[in-house]
Amino acid sequence: MADAPLTCPGQDPSVAELLAVRPALSMHAVDGLVLEDVPLNAIADALGTPTWVMSAGTLRARYRRLAAALEATGRPVSIHFAVKANDHLAVLRVLAAEGAGADVVSGGELRRAMMAGIPAGRIVFSGVGKTPDEMRLALRAGIGQINVESAEELELLSAVARAEGIDAPIALRINPDVDAGTHAKITTGLATNKFGIPYDRAADLYAHAAGLPGIRPVGLAMHIGSQITRMQPYRTAYAKLADLVRTIRSRGLAVDVLDCGGGLGISYRDETEGAPEALAAAIHAELGSLGTRLAIEPGRWLAGPAGVLLSTVILRKRGYDGMPPFLVLDAAMNDLMRPSLYDAWHGIVPLSAAGAVAPTEQVHVVGPVCESGDTFGHDRTLPHMEAGSRLALLDCGAYGMVMSSTYNARPLAAQVMVDGSRWAVIRERQEIEDLWAADRIPEWAGASLATAGGGL
């Protein structure tokens, strides 16, 4: 199912219900909301808000559960973390230490993954628009696999690989035209999406690739979308993938690798979270008998529940007569884009223990950015909060900080990682002057940065 929308029918989960299914979070009578063993108020006291906080322990625990589920099927499946979900070097380093590879979609992500200690041979390069420079970077680094998404890309890669004198290990990414049942902006496996090669053209293109200079076909890839919590779309897509393997092999061509994609969903509100054990069973049932090496590309499932965004209520704004008040936060859509972009629902929990048990009320939770879309929730049932109250937006570890911007000249928030009882700043809060440090005013505009600032 898609993300729960900003406004949902029925009662919102209570603070206690939200915390009950998030084992890394707890509410202490004195310390308030605690992530692992670190009081989040201590971080807010030291750094202010908005501030992102990631839990290293949650990353490890979820990776290990996923790896164990895959190993239990008896067939090894390599795990490549989708770097687009959270590209911070500290996050990548924690997962690399657990044995994760990476799935990247740009040259920048490739370099980040390698900088974090993930060998190029354990990196898969996906994406519909790889440039020749990115292809050269990947080939020279010794990339493990390039997922080719079109016939046109295949020809371009062949030319680049020939010029480099390197055979490119490729998998064709197939578009199976399977509806994953998620939000329209995060589905990737329909014929109307830009991703992948049409299913009915794939066998011919694979045969063509086998004859191209500089190209070494190793297998097939498939990714049908994100935030998937039901297994039937996976089963349908994997069955089609298995049929395609048999068709290609009937032509005397080898298919050694199957990249099963990612997309396993989490529970933001009260959805049933996608279970890695069920995904492992679906992979094994549909693809396990083909004798290929298998891989997956999880992102959100690993990182989403590991992160929170700390914020402070700037003010309560009275609504029109009979309408809920507005809680205006110091966090905004430039920090957490998902609610504005996808109408996504995120749990909201006060940092103080007393605040968590305050009488509830209906409120609109918004940010200060000059856009009507700068909204975190309409008609939300939350404990009463006043100006100065601190809160945490939950499940922000994926597609959170990585999508942030400096819109409205708002500096990027600080980032922290906790691990047990210790915590460290992993990215300093951006200084306001950094926003224009790279700006240049041409001489003919008649001003310099020194004078344009007005001496402030």
Side-chain angles (χ1 to χ4, degrees):
M1 70 184 282
D3 282 348
L6 286 169
T7 303
C8 294
Q11 182 67 35
D12 287 326
S14 67
V15 169
E17 289 168 335
L18 288 170
L19 298 184
V21 292
R22 290 164 174 81
L25 287 167
S26 58
M27 187 66 72
H28 290 193
V30 175
D31 293 332
L33 190 63
V34 173
L35 181 61
E36 296 196 38
D37 297 318
V38 177
L40 291 174
N41 264 317
I43 295 174
D45 286 344
L47 301 178
T49 59
T51 293
W52 302 92
V53 188
M54 287 293 293
S55 162
T58 301
L59 290 170
R60 293 191 194 101
R62 293 181 75 84
Y63 183 90
R64 291 171 186 176
R65 179 185 167 190
L66 177 60
L70 295 168
E71 290 168 6
T73 66
R75 288 201 55 81
V77 181
S78 58
I79 300 172
H80 301 265
F81 175 65
V83 174
K84 62 181 176 291
N86 191 317
D87 68 1
H88 196 286
L89 292 177
V91 171
L92 299 180
R93 186 68 176 176
V94 167
L95 293 171
E98 294 296 312
D103 168 64
V104 303
V105 294
S106 72
E109 287 190 352
L110 172 58
R111 295 186 66 176
R112 272 187 172 271
M114 291 191 296
M115 183 70 69
I118 300 175
R122 286 188 52 76
I123 298 176
V124 173
F125 198 154
S126 303
V128 301
K130 307 174 193 73
T131 67
D133 283 345
E134 289 174 322
M135 292 174 177
R136 278 187 284 271
L137 173 66
L139 292 171
R140 292 172 184 177
I143 194 79
Q145 180 177 303
I146 296 177
N147 288 347
V148 171
E149 303 219 16
S150 66
E152 294 79 5
E153 180 190 350
L154 183 63
E155 299 297 331
L156 177 59
L157 179 59
S158 174
V160 171
R162 285 171 55 199
E164 291 294 315
I166 301 172
D167 285 341
I170 68 107
L172 294 189
R173 177 175 173 178
I174 310 306
N175 186 320
D177 196 21
V178 170
D179 187 356
T182 63
H183 192 286
K185 291 184 179 179
I186 56 174
T187 188
T188 61
L190 290 172
T192 53
N193 299 140
K194 67 180 180 180
F195 300 97
I197 294 157
Y199 184 85
D200 59 1
R201 302 178 199 167
D204 288 342
L205 189 60
Y206 196 92
H208 177 65
L212 281 177
I215 298 297
R216 178 166 59 88
V218 297
L220 302 171
M222 182 178 286
H223 178 64
I224 60 173
S226 188
Q227 188 54 12
I228 302 169
T229 57
R230 298 180 301 110
M231 291 303 110
Q232 190 54 53
Y234 283 124
R235 295 288 296 262
T236 300
Y238 294 158
K240 295 185 73 171
L241 189 61
D243 286 342
L244 185 57
V245 170
R246 298 183 188 100
T247 297
I248 292 171
R249 284 177 172 173
S250 72
R251 299 187 180 190
L253 300 169
V255 180
D256 299 321
V257 177
L258 292 178
D259 182 340
C260 304
L264 194 63
I266 65 174
S267 176
Y268 287 101
R269 186 175 185 262
D270 52 9
E271 311 95 317
T272 299
E273 181 172 88
E277 296 80 7
L279 176 61
I283 293 171
H284 180 71
E286 303 297 339
L287 304 173
S289 65
L290 296 173
T292 64
R293 289 185 286 121
L294 298 168
I296 60 171
E297 304 166 2
R300 181 196 313 263
W301 194 90
L302 290 173
V308 299
L309 175 59
L310 307 184
S311 185
T312 301
V313 178
I314 299 173
L315 55 84
R316 286 176 63 95
K317 179 181 177 182
R318 180 180 175 183
Y320 284 102
D321 289 345
M323 298 182 67
F326 294 91
L327 289 185
V328 184
L329 310 185
D330 62 357
M333 64 183 287
N334 74 290
D335 300 302
L336 180 60
M337 177 65 75
R338 296 190 69 256
S340 177
L341 189 61
Y342 307 125
D343 295 327
W345 193 99
H346 284 266
I348 299 173
V349 175
L351 293 199
S352 79
V357 295
T360 60
E361 61 178 349
Q362 277 202 321
V363 292
H364 302 315
V365 186
V366 302
V369 157
C370 194
E371 297 279 352
S372 296
D374 183 24
T375 301
F376 295 116
H378 297 293
D379 297 313
R380 291 290 293 272
T381 301
L382 295 173
H384 180 87
M385 286 180 268
E386 292 286 349
S389 297
R390 291 172 176 166
L391 55 88
L393 290 138
L394 306 184
D395 304 312
C396 296
Y399 307 106
M401 178 63 199
V402 74
M403 298 177 76
S404 295
S405 76
T406 58
Y407 185 48
N408 278 195
R410 291 171 50 84
L412 297 176
Q415 293 187 69
V416 166
M417 179 171 279
V418 306
D419 192 3
S421 60
R422 58 189 175 180
W423 65 274
V425 177
I426 58 174
R427 186 175 295 164
E428 299 284 350
R429 187 178 308 280
Q430 190 177 33
E431 297 292 337
I432 191 75
E433 294 82 6
D434 293 339
L435 295 178
W436 55 80
D439 289 10
R440 299 293 181 267
I441 298 177
E443 290 183 10
W444 47 259
S448 70
L449 282 175
T451 59
L456 295 178

PDB file of all heavy atoms in Angstrom, residues 260-278:
ATOM      1  N   CYS A 260      16.786  -8.604  -7.719  1.00  0.00           N
ATOM      2  CA  CYS A 260      15.348  -8.608  -7.428  1.00  0.00           C
ATOM      3  C   CYS A 260      14.807  -7.253  -6.993  1.00  0.00           C
ATOM      4  O   CYS A 260      13.618  -7.134  -6.663  1.00  0.00           O
ATOM      5  CB  CYS A 260      15.047  -9.640  -6.340  1.00  0.00           C
ATOM      6  SG  CYS A 260      15.597 -11.307  -6.742  1.00  0.00           S
ATOM      7  N   GLY A 261      15.643  -6.226  -6.960  1.00  0.00           N
ATOM      8  CA  GLY A 261      15.187  -4.894  -6.599  1.00  0.00           C
ATOM      9  C   GLY A 261      14.960  -4.742  -5.105  1.00  0.00           C
ATOM     10  O   GLY A 261      15.421  -5.549  -4.291  1.00  0.00           O
ATOM     11  N   GLY A 262      14.262  -3.682  -4.738  1.00  0.00           N
ATOM     12  CA  GLY A 262      13.995  -3.400  -3.328  1.00  0.00           C
ATOM     13  C   GLY A 262      12.535  -3.063  -3.138  1.00  0.00           C
ATOM     14  O   GLY A 262      11.661  -3.717  -3.688  1.00  0.00           O
ATOM     15  N   GLY A 263      12.288  -2.014  -2.344  1.00  0.00           N
ATOM     16  CA  GLY A 263      10.923  -1.506  -2.203  1.00  0.00           C
ATOM     17  C   GLY A 263      10.142  -1.988  -1.000  1.00  0.00           C
ATOM     18  O   GLY A 263       8.981  -1.606  -0.825  1.00  0.00           O
ATOM     19  N   LEU A 264      10.733  -2.843  -0.148  1.00  0.00           N
ATOM     20  CA  LEU A 264       9.990  -3.374   0.989  1.00  0.00           C
ATOM     21  C   LEU A 264       9.585  -2.225   1.915  1.00  0.00           C
ATOM     22  O   LEU A 264      10.400  -1.396   2.306  1.00  0.00           O
ATOM     23  CB  LEU A 264      10.843  -4.388   1.753  1.00  0.00           C
ATOM     24  CG  LEU A 264      10.124  -5.280   2.758  1.00  0.00           C
ATOM     25  CD1 LEU A 264       9.098  -6.158   2.068  1.00  0.00           C
ATOM     26  CD2 LEU A 264      11.138  -6.149   3.507  1.00  0.00           C
ATOM     27  N   GLY A 265       8.288  -2.185   2.260  1.00  0.00           N
ATOM     28  CA  GLY A 265       7.731  -1.045   2.976  1.00  0.00           C
ATOM     29  C   GLY A 265       7.822  -1.152   4.477  1.00  0.00           C
ATOM     30  O   GLY A 265       8.029  -2.225   5.053  1.00  0.00           O
ATOM     31  N   ILE A 266       7.643  -0.003   5.141  1.00  0.00           N
ATOM     32  CA  ILE A 266       7.646   0.074   6.597  1.00  0.00           C
ATOM     33  C   ILE A 266       6.305   0.610   7.077  1.00  0.00           C
ATOM     34  O   ILE A 266       5.464   1.033   6.281  1.00  0.00           O
ATOM     35  CB  ILE A 266       8.794   0.962   7.114  1.00  0.00           C
ATOM     36  CG1 ILE A 266       8.589   2.434   6.680  1.00  0.00           C
ATOM     37  CG2 ILE A 266      10.136   0.440   6.614  1.00  0.00           C
ATOM     38  CD1 ILE A 266       9.609   3.393   7.276  1.00  0.00           C
ATOM     39  N   SER A 267       6.104   0.611   8.386  1.00  0.00           N
ATOM     40  CA  SER A 267       4.875   1.140   8.968  1.00  0.00           C
ATOM     41  C   SER A 267       5.125   2.565   9.459  1.00  0.00           C
ATOM     42  O   SER A 267       5.854   2.772  10.425  1.00  0.00           O
ATOM     43  CB  SER A 267       4.410   0.264  10.134  1.00  0.00           C
ATOM     44  OG  SER A 267       3.273   0.838  10.759  1.00  0.00           O
ATOM     45  N   TYR A 268       4.532   3.535   8.784  1.00  0.00           N
ATOM     46  CA  TYR A 268       4.623   4.918   9.230  1.00  0.00           C
ATOM     47  C   TYR A 268       3.508   5.232  10.237  1.00  0.00           C
ATOM     48  O   TYR A 268       3.738   5.918  11.228  1.00  0.00           O
ATOM     49  CB  TYR A 268       4.495   5.873   8.041  1.00  0.00           C
ATOM     50  CG  TYR A 268       5.713   5.911   7.155  1.00  0.00           C
ATOM     51  CD1 TYR A 268       5.751   5.214   5.946  1.00  0.00           C
ATOM     52  CD2 TYR A 268       6.833   6.658   7.520  1.00  0.00           C
ATOM     53  CE1 TYR A 268       6.870   5.258   5.132  1.00  0.00           C
ATOM     54  CE2 TYR A 268       7.952   6.711   6.708  1.00  0.00           C
ATOM     55  CZ  TYR A 268       7.974   6.011   5.512  1.00  0.00           C
ATOM     56  OH  TYR A 268       9.084   6.054   4.704  1.00  0.00           O
ATOM     57  N   ARG A 269       2.313   4.744   9.959  1.00  0.00           N
ATOM     58  CA  ARG A 269       1.166   5.047  10.829  1.00  0.00           C
ATOM     59  C   ARG A 269       0.717   3.776  11.526  1.00  0.00           C
ATOM     60  O   ARG A 269       1.124   3.497  12.634  1.00  0.00           O
ATOM     61  CB  ARG A 269       0.026   5.664   9.997  1.00  0.00           C
ATOM     62  CG  ARG A 269      -1.163   6.152  10.814  1.00  0.00           C
ATOM     63  CD  ARG A 269      -2.181   6.846   9.911  1.00  0.00           C
ATOM     64  NE  ARG A 269      -3.274   7.435  10.681  1.00  0.00           N
ATOM     65  CZ  ARG A 269      -4.462   6.883  10.873  1.00  0.00           C
ATOM     66  NH1 ARG A 269      -4.720   5.688  10.344  1.00  0.00           N
ATOM     67  NH2 ARG A 269      -5.389   7.497  11.581  1.00  0.00           N
ATOM     68  N   ASP A 270      -0.103   2.985  10.852  1.00  0.00           N
ATOM     69  CA  ASP A 270      -0.529   1.708  11.418  1.00  0.00           C
ATOM     70  C   ASP A 270      -0.578   0.627  10.340  1.00  0.00           C
ATOM     71  O   ASP A 270      -1.272  -0.369  10.487  1.00  0.00           O
ATOM     72  CB  ASP A 270      -1.883   1.840  12.112  1.00  0.00           C
ATOM     73  CG  ASP A 270      -2.941   2.490  11.212  1.00  0.00           C
ATOM     74  OD1 ASP A 270      -2.665   2.666  10.003  1.00  0.00           O
ATOM     75  OD2 ASP A 270      -4.031   2.819  11.717  1.00  0.00           O
ATOM     76  N   GLU A 271       0.180   0.856   9.246  1.00  0.00           N
ATOM     77  CA  GLU A 271       0.251  -0.158   8.194  1.00  0.00           C
ATOM     78  C   GLU A 271       0.961  -1.407   8.721  1.00  0.00           C
ATOM     79  O   GLU A 271       1.722  -1.352   9.690  1.00  0.00           O
ATOM     80  CB  GLU A 271       1.045   0.357   6.975  1.00  0.00           C
ATOM     81  CG  GLU A 271       0.641   1.718   6.467  1.00  0.00           C
ATOM     82  CD  GLU A 271       1.498   2.829   7.042  1.00  0.00           C
ATOM     83  OE1 GLU A 271       1.777   2.796   8.263  1.00  0.00           O
ATOM     84  OE2 GLU A 271       1.887   3.727   6.282  1.00  0.00           O
ATOM     85  N   THR A 272       0.723  -2.522   8.066  1.00  0.00           N
ATOM     86  CA  THR A 272       1.485  -3.729   8.359  1.00  0.00           C
ATOM     87  C   THR A 272       2.811  -3.638   7.616  1.00  0.00           C
ATOM     88  O   THR A 272       2.849  -3.536   6.386  1.00  0.00           O
ATOM     89  CB  THR A 272       0.725  -4.986   7.908  1.00  0.00           C
ATOM     90  OG1 THR A 272      -0.518  -5.064   8.618  1.00  0.00           O
ATOM     91  CG2 THR A 272       1.545  -6.243   8.184  1.00  0.00           C
ATOM     92  N   GLU A 273       3.899  -3.647   8.358  1.00  0.00           N
ATOM     93  CA  GLU A 273       5.214  -3.516   7.738  1.00  0.00           C
ATOM     94  C   GLU A 273       5.525  -4.715   6.851  1.00  0.00           C
ATOM     95  O   GLU A 273       5.134  -5.844   7.148  1.00  0.00           O
ATOM     96  CB  GLU A 273       6.288  -3.402   8.828  1.00  0.00           C
ATOM     97  CG  GLU A 273       7.693  -3.242   8.285  1.00  0.00           C
ATOM     98  CD  GLU A 273       8.711  -2.949   9.369  1.00  0.00           C
ATOM     99  OE1 GLU A 273       9.252  -3.913   9.953  1.00  0.00           O
ATOM    100  OE2 GLU A 273       8.960  -1.760   9.637  1.00  0.00           O
ATOM    101  N   GLY A 274       6.220  -4.463   5.750  1.00  0.00           N
ATOM    102  CA  GLY A 274       6.680  -5.558   4.913  1.00  0.00           C
ATOM    103  C   GLY A 274       7.665  -6.435   5.668  1.00  0.00           C
ATOM    104  O   GLY A 274       8.617  -5.930   6.280  1.00  0.00           O
ATOM    105  N   ALA A 275       7.458  -7.729   5.661  1.00  0.00           N
ATOM    106  CA  ALA A 275       8.305  -8.657   6.425  1.00  0.00           C
ATOM    107  C   ALA A 275       9.411  -9.206   5.542  1.00  0.00           C
ATOM    108  O   ALA A 275       9.139  -9.757   4.472  1.00  0.00           O
ATOM    109  CB  ALA A 275       7.466  -9.805   6.972  1.00  0.00           C
ATOM    110  N   PRO A 276      10.671  -9.087   5.955  1.00  0.00           N
ATOM    111  CA  PRO A 276      11.758  -9.656   5.140  1.00  0.00           C
ATOM    112  C   PRO A 276      11.637 -11.157   4.980  1.00  0.00           C
ATOM    113  O   PRO A 276      12.064 -11.707   3.954  1.00  0.00           O
ATOM    114  CB  PRO A 276      13.020  -9.254   5.900  1.00  0.00           C
ATOM    115  CG  PRO A 276      12.575  -8.906   7.267  1.00  0.00           C
ATOM    116  CD  PRO A 276      11.174  -8.409   7.151  1.00  0.00           C
ATOM    117  N   GLU A 277      11.061 -11.834   5.976  1.00  0.00           N
ATOM    118  CA  GLU A 277      10.881 -13.282   5.856  1.00  0.00           C
ATOM    119  C   GLU A 277       9.924 -13.618   4.715  1.00  0.00           C
ATOM    120  O   GLU A 277      10.143 -14.596   3.967  1.00  0.00           O
ATOM    121  CB  GLU A 277      10.359 -13.842   7.175  1.00  0.00           C
ATOM    122  CG  GLU A 277      11.303 -13.692   8.346  1.00  0.00           C
ATOM    123  CD  GLU A 277      11.298 -12.310   8.989  1.00  0.00           C
ATOM    124  OE1 GLU A 277      10.442 -11.472   8.611  1.00  0.00           O
ATOM    125  OE2 GLU A 277      12.144 -12.069   9.865  1.00  0.00           O
ATOM    126  N   ALA A 278       8.879 -12.797   4.548  1.00  0.00           N
ATOM    127  CA  ALA A 278       7.931 -13.020   3.457  1.00  0.00           C
ATOM    128  C   ALA A 278       8.578 -12.704   2.109  1.00  0.00           C
ATOM    129  O   ALA A 278       8.338 -13.405   1.119  1.00  0.00           O
ATOM    130  CB  ALA A 278       6.686 -12.161   3.663  1.00  0.00           C
TER     131      ALA A 278
END
